[in-house]
Amino acid sequence: MDVDSTVKGFYEQILQRNAGEPEFHQAVSEVLASLRYVLRKDPHYADNGLIQRLTEPERQIIFRVPWIDDQGQVQVNRGFRVQFNSVLGPYKGGLRFHPSVNLGIIKFLGFEQIFKNSLTGLPIGGGKGGSDFDPKGKSDMEIMRFCQSFMTELERHIGDKVDVPAGDIGVGGREIGYLFGQYRRMTGRHVSGTLTGKGLTWGGSLVRTEATGYGCVYFTQEMMASRGDRLHGAKVIISGSGNVAIYAIEKAQELGATVVAFSDSSGYVSTPDGVDVELLRDIKEVRRLRVSDYVKETNGATFHKGGNIWETEADVALPCATQNELDGEAAKLLADHGVKYVAEGANMPCTHDAIQVFKKRKIDFAPGKAANAGGVATSALEMQQNASRDSWTFEYTDKRLRDIMRNIFKNAARTAEDYDVPRDFVVGANIAGFKKVADAMIAQGVI
Ligand code: GLU
């Protein structure tokens, strides 16, 4: 088999069948590039339409979400749930509420989720959903009415054995509460395993809030330790200031690093003496303000309006904001400034060009499907607790998370070595995630 032309053929079909979805093309093309290594050794993975089936969602749901704003006006948004692959378990993945959401974005996120969830080692399939609803500036009651309308349609498509949504950008504890309330009211049942990221008194898990950020730092620790380095004393850039960034900052600093910059879409804050996490959490999560407000309430921090966070000097960079926030030029800046490690806390924050620069400049790079898998892994631990009507301690759950992240690192590193590309964690994670899903798909027949 001529692997290169076979893979090229698959990709051309993808472009044709999914026109106008550049983020989905990007996510698929990255996985296909890794699969060349697999197909050279094991060409049977191209048989029986496996690649075509893997890149075609099992089900895509698009629905109208009408709601009434505080002025009494009707607003109409679009809701999505892409149920991508359920070969390993019920569809699992978050909901994103952001004006940039469209079908292509949800498909890219759902596709990534398949391999990420496979890497966790837990029995969860891949899915993703959301809406182009913009939560920014909305009142609490508007958020509630929107969530209730969204769930009124989504309810018939989800369930603890079917599809288990959770949070993502724009969807946190408050939104999960309103969504769960409406689900419970509509079904007349308290089935806690239907959503994850719930409040602690009604089926939520300790550590779930912290898990994506903590997990990304645990992964970074493993990657550094494999070179004899450690976070203690290191300078770290963490972009973003949402749920992932906040807890990545907290854990990195707990381990003795100094977080020298964080950001939001308006600019970045440089913090040469480190970040006051309590203040940041209060500003972002309680008062729902912007990062520019952080500098008004503390000393030694400066706000760079519209600035480029990647021009900061550091040893480690953790992009934790959103897709394609770090391009080739930014990657060169990081390399010139001495960054040695990059791990993605967000989903696909580094462009293809950025990843090429990291490779050329010998920077260790951890892709999101490995480095940010801690969130969904802890969601699966929440499902386990719900199924057994139990709740675990913080220490026990955190240890489970740490072990999962260590195993993902080992698995990605070992797989990269097996395919003769040592320390290529992109190839390692893609292949390790893929093989488990592909073997299960082969075992379960052409579905
Ligand atoms: N949205 C998160 C992710 O990108 C978590 C999903 C979940 O917990 O189901 O993996």
Side-chain angles (χ1 to χ4, degrees):
M1 176 169 88
D2 175 356
V3 168
D4 288 338
S5 61
T6 305
V7 168
K8 200 162 162 257
F10 288 142
Y11 189 57
E12 272 158 18
Q13 276 181 28
I14 299 287
L15 293 178
Q16 219 167 48
R17 288 170 65 81
N18 305 275
E21 298 177 348
E23 293 83 4
F24 181 55
H25 303 160
Q26 187 183 338
V28 172
S29 117
E30 195 212 77
V31 170
L32 286 181
S34 301
L35 293 192
R36 286 168 202 256
Y37 295 90
V38 179
L39 295 176
R40 273 183 209 123
K41 269 197 185 174
D42 302 306
H44 77 283
Y45 282 118
D47 293 348
N48 295 328
L50 185 98
I51 309 289
Q52 290 93 328
R53 286 188 287 129
L54 187 65
T55 49
E56 181 70 20
E58 289 176 16
R59 194 171 297 103
Q60 310 181 51
I61 302 147
I62 305 180
F63 50 99
R64 180 206 292 158
V65 189
W67 57 281
I68 297 173
D69 68 18
D70 286 347
Q71 284 68 51
Q73 299 292 316
V74 173
Q75 302 286 341
V76 179
N77 285 97
R78 192 171 290 168
F80 302 90
R81 188 73 185 167
V82 171
Q83 300 180 328
F84 223 120
N85 192 305
S86 60
V87 77
L88 298 181
Y91 309 105
K92 182 81 197 84
L95 298 169
R96 175 176 293 191
F97 292 169
H98 191 271
S100 65
V101 164
N102 56 41
L103 183 60
I105 297 270
I106 299 299
K107 277 167 69 179
F108 119 64
L109 291 164
F111 185 71
E112 290 281 298
Q113 203 82 45
I114 303 170
F115 306 99
K116 182 194 306 195
N117 294 4
S118 161
L119 284 169
T120 65
L122 299 162
I124 40 178
K128 201 87 184 193
S131 173
D132 58 359
F133 173 74
D134 186 0
K136 217 178 269 166
K138 301 290 188 296
S139 72
D140 205 50
M141 287 297 105
E142 288 177 321
I143 299 277
M144 183 178 79
R145 288 194 293 273
F146 176 80
C147 289
Q148 289 175 341
S149 180
F150 185 89
M151 182 53 84
T152 302
E153 179 63 32
L154 189 67
E155 179 267 335
R156 74 196 71 187
H157 303 292
I158 63 172
D160 62 340
K161 294 180 178 62
V162 182
D163 182 356
V164 183
D168 195 85
I169 293 173
V171 178
R174 171 179 61 166
E175 291 74 17
I176 293 295
Y178 296 146
L179 291 164
F180 186 75
Q182 181 73 353
Y183 182 84
R184 188 173 58 75
R185 184 187 195 192
M186 290 179 75
T187 56
R189 285 156 190 255
H190 195 294
V191 183
S192 51
T194 302
L195 288 166
T196 60
K198 299 180 295 295
L200 295 176
T201 55
W202 41 279
S205 172
L206 285 164
V207 192
R208 177 62 192 89
T209 308
E210 296 84 353
T212 314
Y214 278 20
C216 181
V217 172
Y218 294 149
F219 192 99
T220 306
Q221 248 188 323
E222 294 296 324
M223 189 161 70
M224 294 177 79
S226 68
R227 281 200 188 279
D229 277 347
R230 53 203 217 118
L231 268 168
H232 191 92
K235 283 187 196 168
V236 186
I237 306 171
I238 297 185
S239 64
S241 49
N243 167 267
V244 181
I246 288 174
Y247 293 99
I249 295 172
E250 180 171 274
K251 184 52 75 179
Q253 295 198 150
E254 213 177 283
L255 294 170
T258 306
V259 175
V260 291
F262 62 88
S263 62
D264 66 16
S265 56
S266 66
Y268 78 94
V269 175
S270 60
T271 50
D273 303 324
V275 179
D276 178 344
V277 188
E278 277 316 308
L279 176 62
L280 181 61
R281 195 177 1 230
D282 182 54
I283 283 183
K284 289 288 302 193
E285 294 196 327
V286 182
R287 290 188 273 157
R288 299 186 191 276
L289 300 172
R290 308 289 292 165
V291 298
S292 51
D293 295 295
Y294 174 90
V295 300
K296 296 180 193 151
E297 299 185 29
T298 185
N299 294 322
T302 38
F303 178 59
H304 305 258
K305 190 169 189 281
N308 180 3
I309 188 171
W310 311 116
E311 68 196 11
T312 312
E313 222 154 278
D315 308 294
V316 177
L318 307 180
C320 295
T322 194
Q323 66 269 3
N324 293 329
E325 55 165 313
L326 200 169
D327 61 12
E329 289 307 309
K332 280 184 204 152
L333 276 175
L334 290 178
D336 290 345
H337 288 161
V339 164
K340 295 266 176 314
Y341 301 93
V342 178
E344 295 185 323
N347 289 311
M348 211 171 72
C350 298
T351 65
H352 174 76
D353 289 352
I355 298 170
Q356 296 314 308
V357 172
F358 297 145
K359 209 183 250 178
K360 212 182 289 161
R361 305 286 293 264
K362 303 246 175 312
I363 292 172
D364 273 343
F365 171 70
K369 54 175 81 72
N372 75 32
V376 75
T378 310
S379 276
L381 301 181
E382 181 172 331
M383 290 162 71
Q384 284 187 27
Q385 293 168 76
N386 295 154
S388 58
R389 303 197 181 284
D390 197 0
S391 50
W392 304 343
T393 63
F394 191 96
E395 290 67 29
Y396 176 72
T397 318
D398 188 42
K399 184 181 177 314
R400 293 282 305 262
L401 169 63
R402 233 177 311 141
D403 290 346
I404 290 168
M405 297 314 295
R406 185 171 303 138
N407 284 336
I408 296 175
F409 174 76
K410 281 192 188 147
N411 193 3
R414 195 186 329 111
T415 309
E417 274 171 22
D418 288 349
Y419 284 84
D420 293 326
V421 279
R423 299 198 79 80
D424 189 331
F425 303 118
V426 174
V427 171
N430 281 337
I431 295 181
F434 165 79
K435 275 196 160 178
K436 194 173 155 202
V437 173
D439 290 339
M441 285 175 75
I442 292 166
Q444 292 182 27
V446 176
I447 302 287

